[in-house]
Amino acid sequence: MYSANSVLFEKEHYTTFLMAHRIYLYNFSHSLLPEQIAATAESTGFLDQFLAGIGGNTEQNLMMVEWNYEFPLFLHPLFVRQPFISTPMYNGTEGGIYAPASPGIQRIKEFYEFIDKHKEQLIDNKAAFDKAKQRIFNFLDQKVVHDFFHLDAWDVFNMDDVPHKVQAIKLLNDINTSNAIIAEAIAQDNPALLNNCPEFNQGPLEYQSFRPYLNHSGYDYGWEVITSGIYDNEEEEEDNEHPDQIFYKENEYKGMKDDTGKVLIPAHYDEVYYFPEGEELALVQKNNKYGYVNRQGEEMVSLQFDDAYDLCKGIAIVKLNDKYGLLQALKTPDVDFLYDDITDLSLEPHYFNVCKEDTWAVVNANNDLLLPFEYLNEIDCHQYDGYNLYTGILKSSKQKRFFLQDFQKIGTHKVTEVHWAGYEKEQHFFVTTEIIATGDKNKLKLQSLIRQDGETILPLEYEQINYCSGSLVYILKQKGKSGLFRMADGLLLPCIYNRIDELHEGCFRVFQSGKVGLFDAWEGRKTFISPQFDSMRDYIRRNKDGSWEILGFLGNEVSLVYSNQTVKAVDHEIAARQLSAAYYPESMADEQRKILSDIAGTNAPALDLYHKGADAFNEGDIDNAIKYHLLAAEKGDADSMNDLGFIYSRNGIHYDANKAYFWYRKGTKAGSVDAMNGFGICHLNGIGVSQNIDQAIRWYERAAEYGSGRAHANLADLYLDGIWVQQNLNKALKHYQQAEQHDYPSYGRQAYVLSLKEDYSTAITYYKISVKEGDAQSAHNLALMYELGQGCRADSRKALTLYHKAVELGDAESYLELIRLYRNDEEVKDEGKALEMQALARAAGIDIPDENQL
């Protein structure tokens, strides 16, 4: 899309930002910051001295949120006041987002009160919302007690090669946009405006509006999100876990009653513990000795142990005289104290890790040895829905060993990994990875597929065995070639293909000799479309009867391939349908979408027509750009409306003030932020309307509220130039800083404001950035600062170099400064150079003043 500046009209490139992985939100105390930095908390560099680390919960820091892939809309109001970007507290060196906590807490409460006010329109489960809202308010009041919020999206940003700071700017832009929309919805008392938030008009297809997003069960109306980091109802659960077991005290001793007041354990003990679920005995302690009592208060095992633990499945770990044993309390009070340590290994079956002289083994409740005393550490248990695998490290060789549930050793070579790979007919399956010596010091890493009873299903011959759970199919790779296997059918495709990718719905793309085909393995089908296309879509459309269709691309031609193995050429009507929202065109490769769009022609959806118009503009074909943008605009595309306004507002043969005003106005009504900015330019410059500075500022401010960096820059220019409004350097600097945060920096002009405010050192920093970007005026101004020693030591040689740089970048007026320095400055005086610069200045059309005026 194109977006205009008050002075220069330029193309703006926009990149969609997607999130993924985990995102963290902290509430932390300002006192955590070093004193000299805390004093400048409003500066964007105040956390530069923090080292990377891992966030945790302390008295001065609360990790509120640990959430996958996104920073949900519910939390955006927490960053409503003066958010800024700086170094993250715990991870990485850039891209952390910060904001003061108090205004954020106030705004998120206002947001929830607004939702509550319109719950008839917005809420599916009113009781659940009321409960979540009250919990959130209590949480904010009682636990969110520190004065700053910190959003750490380091893990999410790592999924993209784009610098973290750039991603943070785009994320903060979305947050600011959402907050502006929320504020407007509250102000107008109109919840429908919430549908304009970026999460819906740019977000996942399943959330086209606010209501389904709000009512998604995974969010629990925000409660699940806002407490995901540290709080999961532990306190409430603990209070309600044993409602029929109530502790009481009598004569300084403890006991227990049930919920009717009946005494279960008399008050004879220093400490009393709950009856574990399903157990008849509870642990009690007196005079540093432990024993067990039943629900009638009878001591079934006398207080004799130095330490003891709750019963589990009738068995407890107990300690006496520095040795541990296993007590089967309801069977026998006798205990063999055989071990230096005992820990639970698994509950079903019930096995234990036991230690003697720093060597570990595994036993059952009867002390039968299941694994010998050969292991360096405790054995690990890996649970797979009712089935266990065990791993341990041999003390002698430090080699890791893997065992099935019956402690049968897995593999005959060096096993490096065993992972779960399917469940069929009440049997679990696992892929093993083993390293095989092949002679001459060469080693080969191969995989096999085994069943839970140890039977080999696929031998140790494959480089990869990947399980596809949706279709119960395994993708095999053998000697660099790929094939397919299914338990019920055996080998579906031999390992002769270059690559096989799982799509979905049980279908696989099959690549061979630079072409791609398809294999359908859904519910026993074995339909095979041989590799014959340059590419195929990664989306297959399956009907209720199991039939399907998919697009195949060959050159500039497209075919619909059907499950009955027929092929139909795609015409303009089919292409337009395939580009419609029902077919998820956004998941299509760019080249595929372009080919379809070319076939669809004027029937293409608005977004594709917009891209055609944008491509034509970038190629200098303005007539076709107008043609396609008009078609897209007629279908309601707001970006095309903006771009038409931009094209008609440019000087040249297509300039048309009335059309520019018309399309900017129409784009503004359709919700284009860039059009709002362009509409402001129309009022500023009198394009298609009488000049009206107040209206220009109004529309700039509206666009800026919705996150337009260019609109912030335009406002900054107004307040700096002081032509149409009174000059206000503070407002100018504020808007230049906001423009930078919204990914539209004006480094040179921002530096100029800073120099006028006599913040010379910061001005130098920004001038240097602007010079690197090729701005001649910045080079000239920076040279003057070095010449005068503003914010730095005076340095005529640096000034001279920068004046030369300014000339190189196109500022011919800087020749005059070079003549002056070469002629008058004692440090760099050179009459020959002065004459040379004088000749170059005349050649560039510069009038040379009298020598006394230089």
Side-chain angles (χ1 to χ4, degrees):
M1 70 189 71
Y2 322 127
S3 184
N5 182 273
S6 293
V7 180
L8 300 175
F9 299 95
E10 301 172 350
K11 296 187 292 293
E12 180 180 30
H13 302 282
Y14 180 77
T15 301
T16 303
F17 173 68
L18 297 175
M19 293 186 292
H21 285 195
R22 292 187 179 184
I23 202 161
Y24 300 89
L25 177 66
Y26 300 95
N27 174 234
F28 72 98
S29 172
H30 202 189
S31 61
L32 284 176
L33 307 178
E35 182 177 349
Q36 68 274 22
I37 298 177
T40 60
E42 293 183 2
S43 165
T44 58
F46 86 103
L47 288 174
D48 288 344
Q49 297 183 20
F50 268 82
L51 299 176
I54 299 174
N57 296 310
T58 68
E59 290 184 359
Q60 294 181 305
N61 184 55
L62 176 73
M63 188 174 80
M64 295 168 54
V65 171
E66 179 183 1
W67 201 251
N68 285 341
Y69 298 108
E70 60 165 339
F71 184 55
L73 174 65
F74 309 107
L75 304 186
H76 288 196
L78 295 177
F79 288 80
V80 72
R81 183 73 55 81
Q82 297 177 329
F84 57 91
I85 297 170
S86 187
T87 306
M89 288 179 65
Y90 298 111
N91 293 299
T93 58
E94 60 179 22
I97 300 177
Y98 296 84
S102 180
I105 293 171
Q106 179 180 345
R107 177 54 59 87
I108 199 171
K109 287 184 176 180
E110 291 172 358
F111 184 33
Y112 271 84
E113 293 292 4
F114 174 70
I115 294 172
D116 199 331
K117 180 180 179 182
H118 297 280
K119 68 169 60 175
E120 292 296 328
Q121 179 179 347
L122 295 176
I123 302 300
D124 291 344
N125 187 334
K126 298 179 181 61
F129 172 78
D130 291 342
K131 183 176 181 180
K133 174 191 164 188
Q134 190 58 52
R135 282 176 161 180
I136 291 170
F137 282 24
N138 290 340
F139 181 81
L140 294 171
D141 291 339
Q142 298 169 16
K143 290 187 176 288
V144 184
V145 297
H146 307 304
D147 49 6
F148 261 82
F149 289 123
H150 168 38
L151 179 61
D152 181 354
W154 176 83
D155 191 31
V156 172
F157 293 161
N158 280 341
M159 297 183 70
D160 201 315
D161 292 335
V162 176
H164 285 198
K165 183 177 180 180
V166 174
Q167 295 188 63
I169 289 171
K170 293 188 180 301
L171 174 56
L172 185 54
N173 184 22
D174 280 348
I175 293 171
N176 288 334
T177 300
S178 296
N179 282 332
I181 292 170
I182 290 170
E184 190 165 347
I186 294 173
Q188 297 188 26
D189 198 29
N190 183 4
L193 294 178
L194 297 174
N195 297 332
N196 296 324
C197 288
E199 283 74 7
F200 316 123
N201 55 36
Q202 298 175 14
L205 287 174
E206 60 264 36
Y207 299 126
Q208 290 295 328
S209 60
F210 179 67
R211 178 171 180 140
Y213 182 91
L214 173 65
N215 289 281
H216 190 283
S217 59
Y219 293 130
D220 190 17
Y221 296 108
W223 170 246
E224 187 71 22
V225 179
I226 205 168
T227 58
S228 58
I230 56 98
Y231 188 69
D232 58 0
N233 296 346
E234 288 178 359
E235 296 174 3
E236 294 181 16
E237 289 175 3
E238 185 176 342
D239 290 341
N240 297 317
E241 186 177 1
H242 302 284
D244 59 340
Q245 301 181 47
I246 302 168
F247 298 119
Y248 75 101
K249 291 187 73 172
E250 190 175 280
N251 298 325
E252 300 302 319
Y253 287 109
K254 294 181 180 179
M256 179 189 291
K257 298 179 181 180
D258 66 14
D259 52 357
T260 68
K262 176 185 175 182
V263 173
L264 300 177
I265 301 175
H268 294 164
Y269 303 99
D270 297 332
E271 192 60 71
V272 174
Y273 300 88
Y274 287 117
F275 286 95
E277 184 177 355
E279 300 294 338
E280 294 301 317
L281 302 183
L283 182 66
V284 293
Q285 179 259 324
K286 186 175 183 180
N287 297 330
N288 294 321
K289 290 292 182 179
Y290 293 84
Y292 296 86
V293 300
N294 62 18
R295 294 179 184 268
Q296 289 74 45
E298 300 169 330
E299 288 187 7
M300 303 301 293
V301 179
S302 62
L303 282 74
Q304 57 183 291
F305 305 115
D306 298 332
D307 200 358
Y309 297 86
D310 284 336
L311 287 169
C312 180
K313 300 183 71 172
I315 302 168
I317 299 171
V318 293
K319 181 181 181 181
L320 183 64
N321 298 327
D322 291 326
K323 290 290 183 180
Y324 288 87
L326 295 171
L327 169 69
Q328 299 191 53
L330 297 180
K331 291 184 178 181
T332 173
D334 297 328
V335 177
D336 293 325
F337 291 95
L338 304 173
Y339 311 112
D340 298 329
D341 200 358
I342 301 178
T343 62
D344 285 303
L345 173 59
S346 60
L347 294 180
E348 189 60 50
H350 203 181
Y351 296 148
F352 301 88
N353 283 306
V354 293
C355 179
K356 285 184 181 180
E357 298 178 355
D358 294 326
T359 305
W360 289 84
V362 175
V363 301
N364 60 19
N366 296 320
N367 291 309
D368 298 323
L369 201 61
L370 305 177
L371 280 182
F373 284 93
E374 295 179 351
Y375 295 90
L376 181 64
N377 305 112
E378 298 162 275
I379 307 301
D380 291 323
C381 175
H382 309 274
Q383 297 180 323
Y384 300 96
D385 193 21
Y387 188 85
N388 301 333
L389 286 180
Y390 302 104
T391 60
I393 299 175
L394 287 171
K395 190 171 184 180
S396 58
S397 64
K398 305 299 188 294
Q399 183 176 337
K400 195 171 189 178
R401 282 192 173 176
F402 297 77
F403 300 93
L404 298 169
Q405 187 161 282
D406 60 0
F407 292 101
Q408 176 184 346
K409 180 174 173 285
I410 298 175
T412 56
H413 302 274
K414 184 178 180 181
V415 181
T416 60
E417 185 180 2
V418 177
H419 62 264
W420 183 85
Y423 182 77
E424 290 187 49
K425 297 180 179 179
E426 300 184 349
Q427 293 282 312
H428 290 275
F429 296 86
F430 301 92
V431 169
T432 73
T433 302
E434 301 185 45
I435 297 177
I436 302 173
T438 60
D440 299 327
K441 297 183 179 180
N442 292 323
K443 294 181 179 180
L444 196 61
K445 185 181 286 189
L446 294 176
Q447 293 185 335
S448 66
L449 181 67
I450 64 173
R451 199 165 57 198
Q452 68 179 48
D453 60 3
E455 180 178 341
T456 298
I457 306 301
L458 290 173
L460 192 68
E461 297 177 355
Y462 299 91
E463 289 102 58
Q464 286 183 4
I465 301 175
N466 294 323
Y467 178 60
C468 306
S469 59
S471 54
L472 307 179
V473 170
Y474 297 84
I475 301 177
L476 311 178
K477 188 172 184 181
Q478 186 179 46
K479 297 180 180 180
K481 298 292 185 177
S482 297
L484 293 177
F485 170 84
R486 182 161 50 200
M487 211 73 67
D489 303 294
L491 202 61
L492 297 172
L493 289 179
C495 292
I496 60 173
Y497 300 97
N498 299 112
R499 192 175 93 237
I500 297 178
D501 292 344
E502 182 185 20
L503 290 179
H504 58 285
E505 301 285 353
C507 288
F508 300 82
R509 284 186 300 192
V510 181
F511 297 81
Q512 188 176 47
S513 302
K515 298 297 182 181
V516 59
L518 190 83
F519 185 83
D520 178 15
W522 183 254
E523 294 182 347
R525 295 178 179 85
K526 299 178 184 178
T527 305
F528 185 45
I529 308 296
S530 62
Q532 56 191 278
F533 299 98
D534 294 334
S535 69
M536 298 186 85
R537 272 214 64 182
D538 58 2
Y539 169 72
I540 188 164
R541 188 178 183 90
R542 191 181 288 277
N543 303 313
K544 291 182 179 180
D545 63 0
S547 62
W548 48 259
E549 62 184 52
I550 191 171
L551 289 174
F553 296 79
L554 186 61
N556 290 323
E557 296 180 353
V558 187
S559 299
L560 262 180
V561 184
Y562 296 95
S563 55
N564 62 6
Q565 297 182 300
T566 60
V567 177
K568 179 180 181 180
V570 170
D571 59 18
H572 63 279
E573 291 183 359
I574 296 175
R577 184 168 68 249
Q578 291 287 330
L579 288 168
S580 67
Y583 287 78
Y584 307 107
E586 68 282 348
S587 68
M588 199 179 302
D590 291 342
E591 182 60 26
Q592 293 175 343
R593 185 162 184 166
K594 185 178 185 303
I595 293 171
L596 272 182
S597 180
D598 288 341
I599 295 173
T602 59
N603 290 326
L607 180 60
D608 295 276
L609 292 168
Y610 162 76
H611 285 302
K612 281 181 172 292
D615 290 342
F617 181 90
N618 292 332
E619 293 167 2
D621 186 356
I622 307 302
D623 289 332
N624 268 325
I626 292 174
K627 168 188 170 182
Y628 287 115
H629 281 315
L630 282 170
L631 289 168
E634 287 172 4
K635 295 184 179 185
D637 187 80
D639 291 332
S640 282
M641 297 173 191
N642 167 72
D643 290 1
L644 286 166
F646 177 79
I647 290 170
Y648 288 125
S649 68
R650 300 165 74 235
N651 292 329
I653 61 173
H654 294 93
Y655 176 79
D656 188 318
N658 291 330
K659 287 183 179 179
Y661 178 84
F662 171 82
W663 284 113
Y664 272 138
R665 184 170 182 266
K666 196 171 181 66
T668 293
K669 290 184 176 180
S672 168
V673 176
D674 284 319
M676 295 177 191
N677 176 67
F679 203 45
I681 291 173
C682 287
H683 285 94
L684 180 70
N685 297 322
I687 301 174
V689 67
S690 299
Q691 186 182 54
N692 187 323
I693 307 305
D694 290 338
Q695 283 294 314
I697 292 174
R698 175 196 168 204
W699 284 106
Y700 284 157
E701 289 178 341
R702 176 70 65 84
E705 285 176 4
Y706 281 90
S708 170
R710 197 180 295 267
H712 277 295
N714 287 341
L715 285 166
D717 290 344
L718 282 175
Y719 289 118
L720 170 59
D721 296 338
I723 297 172
W724 305 112
V725 296
Q726 184 176 354
Q727 187 183 61
N728 188 319
L729 297 182
N730 289 331
K731 286 186 177 181
L733 182 58
K734 171 190 171 185
H735 283 293
Y736 281 133
Q737 289 170 340
Q738 289 290 316
E740 181 183 1
Q741 280 198 359
H742 289 86
D743 208 19
Y744 190 76
S746 300
Y747 294 120
R749 292 181 69 81
Q750 188 169 342
Y752 182 60
V753 174
L754 290 163
S755 68
L756 292 177
K757 290 173 65 65
E758 299 184 0
D759 185 356
Y760 297 123
S761 60
T762 309
I764 286 175
T765 298
Y766 277 91
Y767 272 140
K768 285 180 177 179
I769 298 172
S770 186
V771 171
K772 285 183 179 179
E773 293 187 343
D775 183 58
Q777 187 63 51
S778 293
H780 179 100
N781 293 351
L782 185 57
L784 183 60
M785 293 185 73
Y786 274 111
E787 190 177 350
L788 299 176
Q790 294 177 325
C792 60
R793 181 178 62 82
D795 190 330
S796 297
R797 295 189 182 279
K798 281 189 178 180
L800 191 71
T801 299
L802 284 161
Y803 282 132
H804 275 292
K805 184 69 175 178
V807 168
E808 177 188 325
L809 293 173
D811 179 30
E813 294 290 337
S814 288
Y815 278 124
L816 300 178
E817 309 303 334
L818 289 168
I819 296 169
R820 177 177 56 79
L821 282 179
Y822 280 129
R823 186 159 285 162
N824 300 316
D825 191 289
E826 292 298 329
E827 189 175 350
V828 298
K829 183 180 285 189
D830 187 327
E831 183 59 28
K833 286 286 188 182
L835 292 173
E836 180 185 341
M837 294 301 109
Q838 190 168 298
L840 291 171
R842 287 197 178 99
I846 303 298
D847 293 330
I848 310 296
D850 294 338
E851 184 174 335
N852 293 333
Q853 294 178 312
L854 286 172

